[in-house]
Amino acid sequence: MATISLLAFLLTLFNPNGVDRLRGGKAKARKKRDIDSSVSSGETGMYKRDYKNRVSPKLKVGTTLKYLGSTTDPQDFLPQRSKLAEVAIFGRSNVGKSTLLNVLTGRKKMCTVSKRPGCTKAVHFYRVKKSVVLVDTPGYGYAKLPRVQIQSLSELIWKYVQTRQMLSGGLLLVDVRRNPGDTEKRLLSAFKERGLPITILATKADKLNSFDLETKLTNLRRVLGLEKSEVVPISSRRQWGIRETWKLIFGMSARSTATVDKTSDLIPS
Ligand code: GDP
């Protein structure tokens, strides 16, 4: 048996195509090793892996998304008949929330990407594959809105965060290039007070080179007192971090409901 294997090996060496194949095999192994090591080396690795595994989320989630309703009145949130866990998305206006929701769901017009910031003035509820309700909250911090309107938006958001029973987690969008403000800090502590998980999604990561991105992420974590895993860089434009975002959403919903069905087929793989 050993003699046969040795003969086959020698034949491969003397056959020019065989040598090529041998070299090709080694080159492939080297390439795989390089990718694997970059994957385990932090954020840059994450992008590569995410980019490599990119598929259109539309195929898996878009068809299973159901709009449930919207409200502008804090006294009138959607009744919770289904008892599904809710994961809410927050962010300053113009942070890239609508773009992210469109990319996540694979729908071009789930949310209108605005040239005029401050357009989303309601809380919107969307059910994803009968497993979790995604809640789109109004973008805050748009200074050009009338004061009364700013106040009522703020009331709507806080009422939701402080009283909503089925709220099971939050994603707080922060433009990776900007320093987080008081609202971000207050939102983080409101979630912590309720014992609910919240993760920062650092948006528009494609606008920075790797060095600046790493510096900004470190700064974000320091200012907000968060762990590395609590700040996730994303780019809707390049589709970086989309899979991670779905994982977070389903992870948060699974924590609060034992009834969540198999989620792996929802997450773009
Ligand atoms: P919203 O007000 O938070 O809903 O923000 P939008 O989704 O309307 O986005 C505001 C602006 O940021 C738009 O011009 C988008 O094209 C842009 N934008 C959103 N996401 C990204 C991103 O990942 N990368 C870059 N470079 N621009 C983005």
Side-chain angles (χ1 to χ4, degrees), residues 93-99 113-114 204 206-207 235-237:
S93 86
N94 216 34
V95 74
K97 188 156 58 66
S98 313
T99 312
V113 176
S114 56
K204 309 190 189 181
D206 59 285
K207 295 242 187 193
S235 163
S236 304
R237 187 159 289 178

Side-chain angles (χ1 to χ4, degrees), residues 84-105:
L84 281 182
E86 288 180 0
V87 175
I89 306 196
F90 305 90
R92 180 167 287 278
S93 86
N94 216 34
V95 74
K97 188 156 58 66
S98 313
T99 312
L100 173 66
L101 283 166
N102 289 339
V103 172
L104 276 175
T105 58

